[in-house]
Amino acid sequence: MANYRIALLPGDGTGPEVLREGVKVLNAVAQKLGFTIDTVEYDFGGDRYLKTGEVLPDSAVDELKKFDVIYLGAIGHPDVKPGILEKGILLRLRFELDQYINLRPVKLYPNVYTPIKDKGPKEIDFVVVRENSGGLYTGCGGFQKKGTPHEVAIQEMVYTRFEVDRCLKYAFELARKRNKDKKLTLVGKTNVLTFVFDLWERAFHEMGEKDYPDITRDYAHVDATTMWMVKNPEWFDVIVTDNMFGDIITDLGAMIQGGMGVAAGGNINPEGVSMFEPIGGSAPKYTGMNIINPLACILAGQMLLDHIGETKGAEILEQAVIRFFESKALPGLSAKEIKESGWSTTKIGDVIADYVAKI
Ligand code: IPM
Ligand code: MN
C-alpha cells in the first residue's frame, strides 16, 4: 500500500481553515483507494514571525526537501510588512526547492458564475505554465543614491537559456499529455522586451520544430492575451510564459473561472519536491470565521494527487467537485455568499469528502 509523506504549511489568515478541508478530502480519497498519507504540520507564517522573529529557518528548508510533496494554505499577514513573508517563505521555497514551473489551470466548472457569461465549461479550460524561478523575481538590481532626489532603482529581468528551455519542455509535454487542441501559446512582449522574449521565442520555435512537430505553436503579446482570455478563452489550450506575466495573467484567469475561491496552483519541480496551493491570498479579514471557500485548496489537492501519480484519486476528487457544482447548492463562491446561504468552510469540505466516498 502506497504511503505519501505530505508537509502541511497552513500559513496565515484563512490558510489553515481551507487547508484543513483540503486534507479532509485527501483523506477521503486515500481511504477510498487504499493508500495512506502521513502529514507533518509546520507553523511558518506571520504569527510565528511576530512572536519569534523567525521567518523560515534553514533547517526547515532541508526538512521539507525530504517530503513527497508540500500542501500550502496561504502566506501573508496584515501586521507584517509586505514582502517579508512572501519573499521569506513562499518565494524562498519556490527557489530553494527549484520549483521552476508554476502550473495554474483555468477551468470553469458547471454552474459557477463567470463574468463572461456567454462562455461555459467548454470554452474555459486551459492551463497556464508560468516560469517560476527566474525573470523579474530573481532580485537582480539595486539602488543608487537611495533617499536622494537623484535616486535610481533598477530591477532586472534575467533569463538563462537553461531556465527557458526546461520550462518550455514542461509546457510542450503538457500540451501533448492534455491531448486537447495540442496547441501551445507563448505569451510574451517581443515588440518591447526585445532581448528576453527574443530568447524565449527562438528557444520556443527551435524546440517545437525539433521535438514537438505534433504541437501547434502560437504566439501572443501579453496585453492582447488579457483581452483574448476574456473575449476568446477557447483559443487557449496551454499557455507558457515568464514569471511576471504569468503572475498577472493567472489572476485574470482566476476571475474568469469564477474567482479566487476556485483557483488552484502547483509549484512544480518535476525532479524534486513540489508544492500545491490555492492561488488566493490569506484573506485576513475572514480568519477564523469558517466562511472562506475551501474549493481552491481542495482543487490544489486534486493537482497534488495527480502529481504524485494517484491519477484515479485526482479524477475522483474532481468528479466530486463537479458533482458539488452541479447540485447548484452554492449560490456563489465568495465568503459573503457562503455565509449568507448558510454554508461554511467545513460544511463544503464535509460534502466533497462524502461525494468522494460515494463516487
Ligand atoms: C502568487 C503570488 C505571489 C507571486 C506573491 C505572494 C509573492 O501573487 O503566487 O501569484 O507574485 O508569485
Ligand atoms: Mn499572484
Side-chain angles (χ1 to χ4, degrees):
M1 188 166 64
N3 178 54
Y4 301 100
R5 294 189 64 242
I6 304 182
L8 301 180
L9 268 61
D12 300 313
T14 50
E17 290 163 68
V18 295
L19 194 64
R20 212 171 294 133
E21 301 315 306
V23 173
K24 183 190 283 176
V25 174
L26 285 188
N27 273 315
V29 175
Q31 200 169 24
K32 184 179 182 76
L33 295 186
F35 61 88
T36 52
I37 54 180
D38 281 338
T39 57
V40 181
E41 193 169 313
Y42 294 86
D43 67 349
F44 303 116
D47 288 338
R48 179 181 169 128
Y49 172 69
L50 291 170
K51 236 183 285 156
T52 67
E54 189 169 63
V55 183
L56 186 67
D58 295 342
S59 60
V61 179
D62 290 335
E63 249 180 76
L64 287 170
K65 286 182 181 163
K66 297 188 192 120
F67 284 86
D68 289 313
V69 71
I70 303 167
Y71 199 8
L72 171 77
I75 299 293
H77 194 291
D79 302 334
V80 179
K81 192 169 162 252
I84 294 182
L85 302 170
E86 291 85 345
K87 278 192 185 162
I89 302 175
L90 188 62
L91 297 187
R92 179 152 176 231
L93 286 176
R94 287 179 183 174
F95 288 165
E96 290 214 17
L97 301 180
D98 204 15
Q99 294 162 339
Y100 59 88
I101 298 293
N102 194 316
L103 192 64
R104 298 189 162 180
V106 180
K107 178 167 182 171
L108 185 67
Y109 285 102
N111 297 322
V112 176
Y113 174 82
T114 170
I116 36 175
K117 63 177 176 13
D118 293 332
K119 307 287 179 185
K122 211 164 85 28
E123 286 82 19
I124 301 179
D125 182 6
F126 61 92
V127 185
V128 178
V129 175
R130 164 184 172 192
E131 201 292 323
N132 209 26
S133 67
L136 284 166
Y137 277 65
T138 46
C140 284
F143 297 107
Q144 268 179 4
K145 301 180 187 163
K146 192 173 180 186
T148 74
H150 297 283
E151 175 167 351
V152 181
I154 301 173
Q155 197 106 38
E156 285 164 319
M157 191 176 212
V158 183
Y159 267 111
T160 65
R161 177 74 193 232
F162 171 79
E163 287 170 336
V164 171
D165 274 342
R166 67 180 184 174
C167 178
L168 289 172
K169 178 163 182 269
Y170 184 90
F172 273 117
E173 290 289 338
L174 183 65
R176 197 177 262 170
K177 184 171 154 222
R178 262 168 74 84
N179 200 17
K180 196 180 162 243
D181 304 330
K182 290 208 166 182
K183 179 173 160 188
L184 181 62
T185 306
L186 172 67
V187 168
K189 190 75 185 170
T190 50
N191 51 350
V192 177
L193 305 177
T194 48
F195 307 128
V196 163
F197 284 103
D198 184 83
L199 170 59
W200 275 84
E201 203 176 28
R202 272 182 287 121
F204 178 62
H205 290 301
E206 274 172 36
M207 186 178 289
E209 234 159 72
K210 184 167 160 280
D211 300 328
Y212 301 95
D214 52 322
I215 306 297
T216 308
R217 274 168 278 139
D218 196 10
Y219 170 82
H221 291 321
V222 64
D223 45 354
T225 300
T226 61
M227 263 180 357
W228 288 324
M229 279 172 71
V230 173
K231 196 165 167 279
N232 304 94
E234 64 276 11
W235 285 356
F236 298 116
D237 176 6
V238 178
I239 287 177
V240 63
T241 190
D242 87 297
N243 209 342
M244 189 76 257
F245 292 163
D247 178 45
I248 296 166
I249 69 171
T250 54
D251 267 18
L252 175 60
M255 281 304 127
I256 68 170
Q257 67 174 333
M260 287 299 182
V262 71
N267 302 280
I268 296 174
N269 177 340
E271 298 90 32
V273 179
S274 300
M275 175 165 80
F276 296 83
E277 54 171 340
I279 297 185
S282 55
K285 69 178 177 190
Y286 298 124
T287 304
M289 292 169 74
N290 197 25
I291 56 170
I292 195 77
N293 197 327
L295 285 166
C297 195
I298 290 170
L299 284 165
Q302 181 247 337
M303 297 179 73
L304 182 156
L305 286 175
D306 197 43
H307 177 81
I308 61 177
E310 292 290 338
T311 34
K312 179 131 187 283
E315 257 166 53
I316 291 173
L317 197 163
E318 189 176 33
Q319 283 311 313
V321 171
I322 289 174
R323 186 182 286 191
F324 177 72
F325 282 130
E326 278 174 346
S327 74
K328 289 196 183 185
L330 204 61
L333 299 175
S334 70
K336 193 167 160 274
E337 285 159 317
I338 288 174
K339 183 173 171 220
E340 281 168 6
S341 58
W343 279 88
S344 69
T345 309
T346 43
K347 213 168 132 192
I348 294 172
D350 286 343
V351 170
I352 305 281
D354 184 52
Y355 281 169
V356 164
K358 287 187 185 140
I359 278 170

